[in-house]
């Protein structure tokens, strides 16, 4: 007999003997794929919904430049963080909250928002540099110059922070 015929008979014999085990393994793989893709679609929809709410707040932010008008923005960003706590939109909402609170001279709230952003953000996120700078400004307003310098120094530690070295050193010099 031909080599391929022998191998074909061996494979079909093996498949016939272990048919139930093969079906179980195949079913488990299909179930795993279904769970994986189901989770991916759920996360995509979750992030899309969060981004829609975030974009609505951002559209409102374009219209309001007066600190008196910041209350609806703050509520909008807080809404994003409450409804979608594990989304990318929540991450950026914390950053925006830090900026808004700083502009309103709510220094402690600004620090909390910046710290939450820094805790959640990846080290590759360029906004982390600005969050550290924001923390530095907050500490400067509180006259806590040691922590202000530490925050500015943290901003310098990022490789992408070299673009902003001049501004960061200026801030450190001012402090």
């Amino acid at each position: 007999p031909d080599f391929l015929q022998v191998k074909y008979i061996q494979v079909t014999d093996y498949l016939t003997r272990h048919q139930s085990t093969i079906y179980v393994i195949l079913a488990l793989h299909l179930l795993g794929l279904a769970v994986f893709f189901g989770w991916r679609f759920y996360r995509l929809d979750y992030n899309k919904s969060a981004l829609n709410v975030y974009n609505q707040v951002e559209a409102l932010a374009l219209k309001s430049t007066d600190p008196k008008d910041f209350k609806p923005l703050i509520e909008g960003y807080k809404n994003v963080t409450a409804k979608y706590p594990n989304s990318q939109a929540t991450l950026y909402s914390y950053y925006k909250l830090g900026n808004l609170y700083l502009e309103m001279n709510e220094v402690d709230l600004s620090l909390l928002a910046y710290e939450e952003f820094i805790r959640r953000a990846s080290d590759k996120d360029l906004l982390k540099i600005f969050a550290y700078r924001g923390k530095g400004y907050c500490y400067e307003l509180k006259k806590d110059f040691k922590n202000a310098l530490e925050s500015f120094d943290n901003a310098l530690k990022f490789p992408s922070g070299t673009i902003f070295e001049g501004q960061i050193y200026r801030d450190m010099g001012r402090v």
Side-chain angles (χ1 to χ4, degrees):
D2 185 8
F3 169 76
L4 290 176
Q5 289 174 331
V6 171
K7 284 297 176 189
Y8 176 75
I9 291 170
Q10 287 175 346
V11 168
T12 55
D13 187 41
Y14 179 83
L15 292 175
T16 307
R17 273 186 282 133
H18 296 62
Q19 186 175 9
S20 60
T21 305
I22 292 171
Y23 284 147
V24 168
I25 291 171
L26 184 62
L28 288 175
H29 278 85
L30 290 175
L31 179 65
L33 282 173
V35 168
F36 172 76
F37 284 112
W39 180 252
R40 293 288 293 175
F41 286 129
Y42 166 75
R43 291 298 298 171
L44 283 172
D45 185 56
Y46 178 82
N47 280 313
K48 182 180 174 185
S49 299
L51 194 58
N52 284 339
V53 175
Y54 179 82
N55 286 337
Q56 290 172 357
V57 178
E58 282 292 298
L60 184 62
L62 292 174
K63 297 175 187 171
S64 56
T65 56
D66 186 18
K68 297 172 193 164
D69 298 336
F70 288 166
K71 291 290 183 197
L73 295 176
I74 289 172
E75 292 306 314
Y77 289 127
K78 282 183 175 181
N79 184 31
V80 172
T81 63
K83 277 187 175 179
Y84 305 100
N86 297 318
S87 69
Q88 195 71 13
T90 290
L91 178 67
Y92 296 119
S93 291
Y94 281 118
Y95 176 75
K96 293 288 192 161
L97 283 169
N99 290 344
L100 289 172
Y101 284 135
L102 180 60
E103 202 162 322
M104 295 170 57
N105 282 329
E106 297 283 343
V107 177
D108 292 329
L109 293 173
S110 181
L111 278 171
L112 289 173
Y114 282 135
E115 286 172 10
E116 187 64 24
F117 173 82
I118 289 168
R119 187 181 68 77
R120 291 173 176 241
S122 153
D123 284 341
K124 296 177 183 176
D125 195 333
L126 189 62
L127 285 179
K128 208 166 187 179
I129 297 166
F130 295 110
Y132 276 117
R133 288 181 68 196
K135 277 181 66 175
Y137 298 143
C138 290
Y139 285 126
E140 185 179 352
L141 287 172
K142 291 178 79 163
K143 307 278 191 242
D144 184 354
F145 300 119
K146 180 181 178 269
N147 281 328
L149 284 173
E150 184 180 320
S151 293
F152 291 131
D153 191 45
N154 284 334
L156 281 174
K157 290 179 183 174
F158 290 89
S160 54
T162 57
I163 300 168
F164 306 104
E165 266 183 354
Q167 295 170 350
I168 295 170
Y169 282 129
R170 177 203 62 207
D171 294 335
M172 292 173 90
R174 185 184 60 247
V175 168

